[in-house]
Amino acid sequence: MFSNRTVIEQLSEGFFEFFQDGSFKKMDPSRLDNAAEDPSLGKYSSALGIDPLLIQMNGKIVVVDPGLGWGLDSRSSYKDTSSVVTNLDIFEIAPEDVDFVILTHLHYDHIAGCTYVNDQFETTATFPNATYLFHKDEWDYALTQLNNRQPQRGAAYNLDEFFKLVAEKRVDIFDADTYSVLPGITAIKTGGHTPGHTIVKIQQKEIVSYFMGDLIPTEHHLNHYAMKLIDSDSVQAKKAKKSILNKASDEKATIFFYHSLFHKSGVIAQDKMKKFILLERKNR
Ligand SMILES: [Zn+2]
């Protein structure tokens, strides 16, 4: 482990197919080559990437939105696929090394990887030494939604396993609109997608990066503001999105998407028509 090096990398779990009833399954990426001719994709399901973020900075290790936790359960039949843990291993990081887990919001497809089920069928923290952080408005809202089992393409709240982390006092529920997690790493409340949704800003000297959570889930949502189906408050989502993207393009920031299939990150800029575009990342 290189403790003084700054690393910002996506820990891709791969491609998933999300169905209208809220279920999902791992998807063969070759289907994306002919997605336009695939009759079920787009009609009954949508294809999404799941890309947690790793930040290694000033000797601390942070994971943002640890994914579906695919294959983490001791008796999982998906052992041979990539997960947040196998991906951390590429960077020689063990789950025990993670100091903080920041959650942009508490939808199942963003938090399931916080826990796994061990050999004794016990729910266990995936990152045993980490503090799990999220906004108080998100927690309050999630608790009101637990009986709302309306199918939402993987985007429902299911805190059954997550409650264990709260009971074990592994969480830090913050109330401020901007919350400094560590020097250079800030959680910024945006609302919109959910009432307590936050994004994460990472700043190393003049180099700025943002992890957009579900405020801007993919590159296709950069100039696409009407997301009434997936945002709890689409007016607030639009407002927050506009102001963050304007700021980020002034800062020539790199932005990271959680659900992209193709362009998972890039430097944000505006073209002559003021449309937001993605440029190649350079500062790596
Ligand atoms: Zn979501």
Side-chain angles (χ1 to χ4, degrees):
M1 222 194 320
F2 305 94
S3 59
N4 288 320
R5 206 159 62 100
T6 295
V7 172
I8 306 174
E9 290 287 347
Q10 282 165 306
L11 306 171
S12 181
E13 278 192 316
F15 298 127
F16 291 84
E17 190 174 8
F18 279 72
F19 297 89
Q20 283 173 350
D21 66 356
S23 65
F24 43 82
K25 70 174 190 205
K26 197 129 192 180
M27 179 178 162
D28 175 1
S30 70
R31 276 179 72 192
L32 293 174
D33 299 341
N34 301 304
E37 289 129 55
D38 198 324
S40 67
L41 267 188
K43 193 166 180 203
Y44 303 111
S45 67
S46 41
L48 290 176
I50 297 278
D51 293 274
L53 195 72
L54 162 67
I55 310 163
Q56 195 174 357
M57 207 171 154
N58 302 323
K60 296 285 184 192
I61 296 172
V62 179
V63 171
V64 189
D65 287 359
L68 286 164
W70 207 247
L72 292 186
D73 292 346
S74 298
R75 288 159 205 248
S76 168
S77 46
Y78 302 102
K79 281 283 176 214
D80 57 342
T81 81
S82 62
S83 71
V84 69
V85 170
T86 58
N87 286 323
L88 282 173
D89 188 51
I90 296 169
F91 299 92
E92 294 176 39
I93 295 170
E96 294 75 24
D97 299 333
V98 175
D99 298 291
F100 294 97
V101 176
I102 305 174
L103 303 168
T104 59
H105 62 302
L106 299 177
H107 279 160
Y108 186 74
D109 57 322
H110 293 250
I111 66 158
C114 290
T115 56
Y116 71 99
V117 178
N118 72 11
D119 267 339
Q120 284 80 49
F121 296 105
E122 294 159 341
T123 297
T124 311
T126 307
F127 309 102
N129 300 316
T131 302
Y132 295 72
L133 296 114
F134 49 92
H135 198 280
K136 182 173 186 299
D137 291 351
E138 184 62 18
W139 179 241
D140 291 346
Y141 179 70
L143 294 180
T144 69
Q145 296 300 303
L146 291 179
N147 294 324
N148 176 13
R149 297 277 174 165
Q150 286 217 347
Q152 263 184 304
R153 289 196 178 186
Y157 289 99
N158 176 347
L159 301 177
D160 296 355
E161 313 284 333
F162 193 78
F163 281 130
K164 182 94 184 269
L165 300 181
V166 180
E168 291 175 348
K169 299 199 167 30
R170 296 176 186 275
V171 301
D172 177 1
I173 307 177
F174 57 90
D175 205 358
D177 284 356
T178 54
Y179 186 74
S180 173
V181 179
L182 285 168
I185 304 179
T186 312
I188 302 169
K189 185 186 152 193
T190 63
H193 178 64
T194 59
H197 185 280
T198 61
I199 58 168
V200 179
K201 180 175 185 176
I202 307 127
Q203 181 144 21
Q204 337 145 239
K205 299 200 180 103
E206 70 285 359
I207 304 170
V208 181
S209 307
Y210 290 92
F211 179 83
M212 291 298 184
D214 274 358
L215 184 69
I216 307 174
T218 77
E219 74 276 22
H220 300 298
H221 297 90
L222 277 176
N223 297 290
H224 184 77
Y225 294 114
M227 305 210 303
K228 288 202 174 68
L229 282 176
I230 66 166
D231 289 334
S232 70
D233 180 346
S234 55
V235 175
Q236 171 57 25
K238 177 174 174 172
K239 228 169 91 182
K241 209 189 277 193
K242 266 221 136 109
S243 96
I244 290 291
L245 286 177
N246 279 324
K247 193 158 183 295
S249 58
D250 287 347
E251 293 168 324
K252 298 187 171 53
T254 296
I255 60 177
F256 292 92
F257 302 112
Y258 186 71
H259 284 307
S260 279
L261 295 170
F262 301 108
H263 297 119
K264 292 170 182 287
S265 67
V267 175
I268 189 81
Q270 279 176 289
D271 69 10
K272 283 189 201 123
M273 307 297 287
K274 295 271 169 209
K275 268 182 80 161
F276 292 105
I277 51 170
L278 275 188
L279 309 174
E280 207 67 49
R281 273 172 83 190
K282 284 190 207 101
N283 305 308
R284 300 186 62 146

